[in-house]
Amino acid sequence: GAVVSQHPSRVICKSGTSVKIECRSLDFQATTMFWYRQFPKQSLMLMATSNEGSKATYEQGVEKDKFLINHASLTLSTLTVTSAHPEDSSFYICSALGDFGMNTEAFFGQGTRLTVV
Amino acid sequence: GQNIDQPTEMTATEGAIVQINCTYQTSGFNGLFWYQQHAGEAPTFLSYNVLDGLEEKGRFSSFLSRSKGYSYLLLKELQMKDSASYLCAVRRGGSYIPTFGRGTSLIVHP
């Protein structure tokens, strides 16, 4: 199956600093990538949809200036959490959409556990 | 909008069968997914149903009734490693983005 690599898997940062998370589709081109956030024992919540070469579409309630998304190529999207605070501590997961002939399917990265101290 | 409802937690015995239900309300239904998620890991795909009926894949089966807005995931011959959260996700027509339910935490005990 298709592989989506997310890096780093875990990161601890100080309050007020910024953290960048990368999401790469390794063996397919992804024109669209999705960023999710998941709090403990909660569902995956879609934060934004990222399209290659254009601005991301953010879900209601997600601050675009705080969660910067860049989708510069067909295989890479990045999420930068700016001026992180303890309440931003969460599990962040990306998903990349690939077109495989008859099927279009989204595959998840491994997730990034962010802890802000 | 979409409303997806599934039980919060279930327990079962190793070797047994468990059925996890999911009910949903959505406009323009275009498929239902089941994912397995172990703690601290990303979800992994289990099944996709877009037509009514039962899809069987080894120990796991998924059922869909579009008219009832209902699906279930059936796990047979439960193993300890099946202890995980099981997420039901629904996709609307015209969108590739599934909306996830809160997940059902399944605990398998000896």
Side-chain angles (χ1 to χ4, degrees):
Chain A
V3 178
V4 176
S5 176
Q6 189 173 338
H7 178 80
S9 58
R10 289 179 180 271
V11 58
I12 300 173
C13 71
K14 290 185 178 180
S15 186
T17 62
S18 296
V19 174
K20 180 185 282 189
I21 303 170
E22 292 187 348
C23 181
R24 293 180 185 273
S25 56
L26 295 186
D27 51 2
F28 66 100
Q29 293 184 329
T31 54
T32 304
M33 291 188 177
F34 309 104
W35 287 96
Y36 294 87
R37 179 169 54 186
Q38 186 177 36
F39 293 107
K41 299 193 176 183
Q42 298 289 317
S43 181
L44 291 169
M45 298 300 297
L46 181 67
M47 298 175 67
T49 303
S50 164
N51 292 296
E52 186 265 337
S54 64
K55 291 183 179 180
T57 303
Y58 290 81
E59 295 299 301
Q60 195 171 10
V62 177
E63 299 174 60
K64 62 180 181 181
D65 294 331
K66 179 167 184 62
F67 298 99
L68 300 178
I69 292 173
N70 185 283
H71 194 156
S73 77
L74 287 172
T75 58
L76 174 65
S77 175
T78 60
L79 168 68
T80 302
V81 182
T82 63
S83 187
H85 292 285
E87 57 264 31
D88 298 324
S89 298
S90 186
F91 192 52
Y92 293 86
I93 307 174
C94 73
S95 172
L97 189 69
D99 197 346
F100 304 98
M102 294 292 290
N103 300 314
T104 300
E105 201 47 74
F107 297 89
F108 286 97
Q110 305 96 317
T112 298
R113 172 74 59 195
L114 171 63
T115 303
V116 185
V117 297
Chain B
Q2 292 169 282
N3 293 314
I4 302 171
D5 191 39
Q6 51 183 132
T8 304
E9 190 174 288
M10 299 181 71
T11 59
T13 306
E14 192 175 14
I17 299 173
V18 71
Q19 178 174 310
I20 304 174
N21 296 324
C22 173
T23 57
Y24 63 89
Q25 293 176 310
T26 187
S27 55
F29 175 84
N30 188 28
L32 185 145
F33 298 83
W34 283 98
Y35 288 88
Q36 179 191 63
Q37 185 179 25
H38 285 99
E41 298 179 11
T44 55
F45 171 82
L46 290 178
S47 67
Y48 174 62
N49 294 66
V50 66
L51 300 175
D52 286 355
L54 185 69
E55 300 257 350
E56 297 187 70
K57 268 188 194 178
R59 293 191 299 116
F60 293 4
S61 303
S62 58
F63 171 83
L64 175 68
S65 169
R66 295 177 63 152
S67 62
K68 295 182 180 177
Y70 167 69
S71 172
Y72 67 72
L73 180 69
L74 191 72
L75 293 77
K76 303 176 185 175
E77 300 170 19
L78 280 173
Q79 301 174 9
M80 300 296 290
K81 66 178 182 179
D82 296 330
S83 294
S85 183
Y86 291 86
L87 306 172
C88 171
V90 174
R91 192 159 71 179
R92 280 192 299 178
S95 171
Y96 291 113
I97 308 172
T99 298
F100 287 84
R102 296 172 68 89
T104 298
S105 177
L106 173 67
I107 301 168
V108 180
H109 56 82

